Amino acid sequence: MKLLATSLLAALLALPVMSSFAAGEAAPADAAQTHAAPAAAPAMAAKPDLVKGDATFTAVCAACHGADGNSGTPAYPKLSQQHPEYLVKQLQEFKSGKRKNAVMQGFAATLSDDDMKNVAYWATSKKAKPGFAKDKETVTLGERIYRGGISDRQVPACAGCHSPTGGGIPSQYPRLSGQHSEYTAAQLTAFRDGVRANSIPMTQVAAKLNDKEIRAVADYIAGLR
């Protein structure tokens, strides 16, 4: 009887295990397989190649933006010392058509993502030449807008995003200091008029500025250090 009772107890204890297999659950793997191997670490992003960046910049960009990124023509922006993340973003958006410019779209279309990164990091490694304000009559207005905004029209101070010295904030807002006033004014006008539409915040800000205010703040920015 004692042996029979022991056999019945063993059978009862085995029922839940057998039921689970009957329901289609997989049998546990051996101990070596119960712990999945850790996922492979993501590959490290390739570092920018400044030698290739120099070569690409010389071949593609230098004619308009200067040999060292310091454009001597007011219609073309200075690129030297600009935040590389910003430059890459603009090149990508020229290539995709999000930022409209037929000339720049043609050049950007020839560049791979690695080319863009190489060029951007090479350009940012070059020291920017300082600019200067030209219009003494509007410099006070430009400074007031840049540093304090226009409160009655809810225009924020430019310095809030681009810093008091115009240095910008890496990965977020571009460097402005020393930029050609003509170029800055043209971009603000393009934002205001809906011609340039790749930054909603800038479109909203520029929409509240008149021509005189745009010229004044652009001229003030040119002289920032």
Side-chain angles (χ1 to χ4, degrees):
M1 290 296 291
K2 185 177 181 180
L3 178 60
L4 179 60
T6 302
S7 300
L8 287 173
L9 179 60
L12 289 171
L13 290 173
L15 281 175
V17 177
M18 295 177 66
S19 299
S20 66
F21 293 154
E25 293 179 21
D30 61 56
Q33 295 177 333
T34 53
H35 299 290
M44 292 293 289
K47 291 184 178 180
D49 188 324
L50 299 189
V51 174
K52 289 182 178 179
D54 186 1
T56 303
F57 191 95
T58 299
V60 180
C61 316
C64 293
H65 297 285
D68 61 351
N70 282 289
S71 162
T73 304
Y76 305 126
K78 298 178 182 180
L79 303 181
S80 53
Q81 225 172 315
Q82 184 57 269
H83 304 308
E85 300 90 349
Y86 177 77
L87 291 179
V88 169
K89 179 178 183 289
Q90 299 311 303
L91 286 169
Q92 289 175 338
E93 291 180 353
F94 279 128
K95 186 174 183 176
S96 70
K98 184 175 181 179
R99 181 174 175 182
K100 307 294 183 183
N101 183 293
V103 174
M104 280 303 305
Q105 186 169 17
F107 284 123
T110 69
L111 303 177
S112 67
D113 286 346
D114 283 342
D115 292 333
M116 292 178 185
K117 183 166 66 173
N118 294 339
V119 164
Y121 277 85
W122 180 85
T124 200
S125 72
K126 300 298 159 183
K127 187 172 179 59
K129 293 179 180 178
F132 56 91
K134 302 174 184 177
D135 193 340
K136 295 181 180 179
E137 295 182 3
T138 64
V139 70
T140 301
L141 173 61
E143 180 179 18
R144 186 165 69 245
I145 295 171
Y146 189 88
R147 297 191 177 281
I150 305 173
S151 58
D152 60 345
R153 275 181 271 156
Q154 290 79 51
V155 175
C158 309
C161 293
H162 298 284
S163 89
T165 61
I169 300 175
S171 304
Q172 297 182 58
Y173 304 109
R175 171 189 170 91
L176 301 180
S177 59
Q179 190 59 266
H180 297 303
S181 61
E182 296 88 344
Y183 177 77
T184 301
Q187 297 310 302
L188 286 170
T189 301
F191 278 126
R192 183 189 65 188
D193 297 345
V195 176
R196 181 174 172 180
N198 68 329
S199 172
I200 292 174
M202 283 306 307
T203 297
Q204 294 171 337
V205 169
K208 301 171 184 177
L209 300 175
N210 60 40
D211 288 344
K212 181 179 179 179
E213 290 162 345
I214 284 176
R215 288 194 301 269
V217 76
D219 190 56
Y220 178 73
I221 284 169
L224 282 172
R225 299 285 193 278

